[in-house]
Amino acid sequence: MRIVITGGFGFLGREITDTLLRSRTLGGAPIDRLVLTDRFVPAEAPQAADPLVEVVRGDLVECLDEVFAEPVDVLIHLAAAVSAECEADFDLGMSANLDTTRALLEAARAQSASGGPTPRLVFSSSVAVYGSDPVLPLPPVVSESTLPTPRSSYGIQKLVCEQLVADYTRRGFIDGRVARLMTVSVRPGKPNAAASGFLSGIVREPLAGLPAICPVRPDLRVALASPRRTVEGILRIAEAERGSGEGRLDGGLPVNLPALTVTVAEMLATLRRVAGDAAADLVTVAPDPDIEAVVGSWPSVFDNTRAAALGLGPDPSFESVVRDYLADHPEAVLVKA
């Protein structure tokens, strides 16, 4: 089995790669090659040293011939420009998210049309496909049957790509699956340009002894998933067989990954309870209307039925999310917790 991960050296790409390298299988089948594509490859990338791994460096559109030089069995498409970037630079979002995904789909289509295997393509979408339209507000609980009405360029781009994946699948060009990701918290490493990045920063930075800004009102409710649960969800969708019944992927609808619903105030209270006043007092609430407009347009309560049928569930509590972060990244924690 040859698996390709786009954005392979991004945060989720590395996490998924590490999980696959530990098992060296997907869905019980052995992995023969794991291809990681990315524009930026860190100088120190332990994943690249594994004999199972092949690295393709460069702009994805320009590297597609190399990616598809040998048959691709599974393709996990993570590469994307993030939400705040897309609001600041419309052309960047259209190019990185829409045009690149279309080119990738065409390359996958060409493989199956030439008699090669039909690629199983997992597209990482986002909760940002939902939004509250003035004439069609979101219901109290959102499910895959809720009409997506995005309120950001990023959300629009993700939704368009979802529909392309659905049509390429309907036509038999690919076996496409869409995983709609919740906001992932707590992400390790440096802040990124996502509008929701503060939902990691208000925990990650204080635990490292650094100040952090909370740009939304504390009573805002958000839908979160830990890195562990997010990786589990993406890989479960990637390996699931088609069909009805427990553990199978039924129909063509996307899967909303399970959401833990919390308020920002509850997140900050958890930080204080777990790490103490020294860490919690490093957070300053300074609302930013632009960020709150984007993040506040996303739903916070989800019906997890479709994910549950695949054996997936939400994190039990935000405290468990923080403690997972402490266990997984002790090197990044300077405040005694």
Side-chain angles (χ1 to χ4, degrees):
M1 178 187 296
R2 185 167 180 261
I3 299 176
V4 173
I5 302 176
T6 73
F9 289 97
F11 161 62
L12 280 178
R14 294 193 309 271
E15 294 287 319
I16 290 172
T17 296
D18 288 343
T19 301
L20 292 175
L21 289 178
R22 284 193 294 270
S23 68
R24 308 186 95 75
T25 63
L26 179 69
I31 299 171
D32 302 307
R33 202 72 173 149
L34 187 56
V35 182
L36 306 182
T37 78
D38 214 308
R39 294 177 63 192
F40 305 105
V41 179
E44 295 184 5
Q47 297 85 359
D50 191 289
L52 207 62
V53 170
E54 174 187 344
V55 176
V56 175
R57 181 174 187 166
D59 184 272
L60 181 57
V61 173
E62 296 173 359
C63 296
L64 287 174
D65 286 345
E66 186 175 355
V67 170
F68 284 87
E70 298 178 46
V72 175
D73 298 296
V74 178
L75 201 161
I76 300 175
H77 182 32
L78 304 173
V82 295
S83 50
E85 286 180 318
C86 298
E87 283 301 293
D89 189 337
F90 179 79
D91 292 326
L92 170 66
M94 292 294 287
S95 174
N97 294 339
L98 184 54
D99 297 342
T100 297
T101 300
R102 169 77 192 283
L104 186 66
L105 289 168
E106 279 296 292
R109 174 190 174 192
Q111 174 178 290
S112 58
S114 66
T118 300
R120 181 176 293 189
L121 187 148
V122 181
F123 176 66
S124 63
S125 189
S126 169
V127 64
V129 301
Y130 295 108
S132 188
D133 188 276
V135 298
L136 187 63
L138 286 169
V141 179
V142 165
S143 74
E144 289 84 355
S145 64
T146 302
L147 179 67
T149 54
R151 306 298 290 171
S152 67
S153 293
Y154 174 74
I156 288 284
Q157 291 150 14
K158 286 291 189 180
L159 181 59
V160 172
C161 290
E162 285 188 7
Q163 295 301 308
L164 287 174
V165 170
D167 200 40
Y168 276 63
T169 300
R170 181 184 67 85
R171 298 292 296 263
F173 304 149
I174 62 170
D175 174 6
R177 293 109 186 274
V178 173
R180 287 182 180 152
L181 277 56
M182 302 296 117
T183 296
V184 181
S185 177
V186 178
R187 286 175 175 259
K190 296 179 180 180
N192 66 12
S196 59
F198 73 92
L199 292 169
S200 288
I202 60 174
V203 175
R204 179 186 59 231
E205 270 68 81
L207 287 175
L210 300 173
I213 300 296
C214 175
V216 300
R217 65 186 191 278
D219 65 345
L220 183 69
R221 290 204 301 176
V222 292
L224 305 178
S226 68
R228 291 185 186 184
R229 297 289 171 130
T230 302
V231 169
E232 177 190 25
I234 291 170
L235 291 178
R236 188 68 53 82
I237 290 169
E239 67 188 7
E241 295 299 326
R242 290 283 185 182
S244 59
E246 205 72 17
R248 290 180 171 268
L249 193 62
D250 194 8
L253 288 176
V255 178
N256 293 332
L257 295 190
L260 169 67
T261 301
V262 294
T263 66
V264 172
E266 289 168 343
M267 295 174 67
L268 296 175
T270 299
L271 175 66
R272 189 174 298 277
R273 184 168 62 254
V274 172
D277 293 341
D281 289 345
L282 289 169
V283 181
T284 300
V285 177
D288 180 325
D290 291 336
I291 292 178
E292 187 159 325
V294 173
V295 179
S297 72
W298 302 340
S300 58
V301 183
F302 286 81
D303 177 348
N304 294 321
T305 301
R306 187 160 167 76
L310 293 172
L312 299 170
D315 295 279
S317 67
F318 191 65
E319 181 167 335
S320 74
V321 171
V322 174
R323 295 200 181 279
D324 282 350
Y325 177 79
L326 293 172
D328 292 343
H329 304 282
E331 77 289 346
V333 178
L334 298 181
V335 174
K336 185 179 174 78

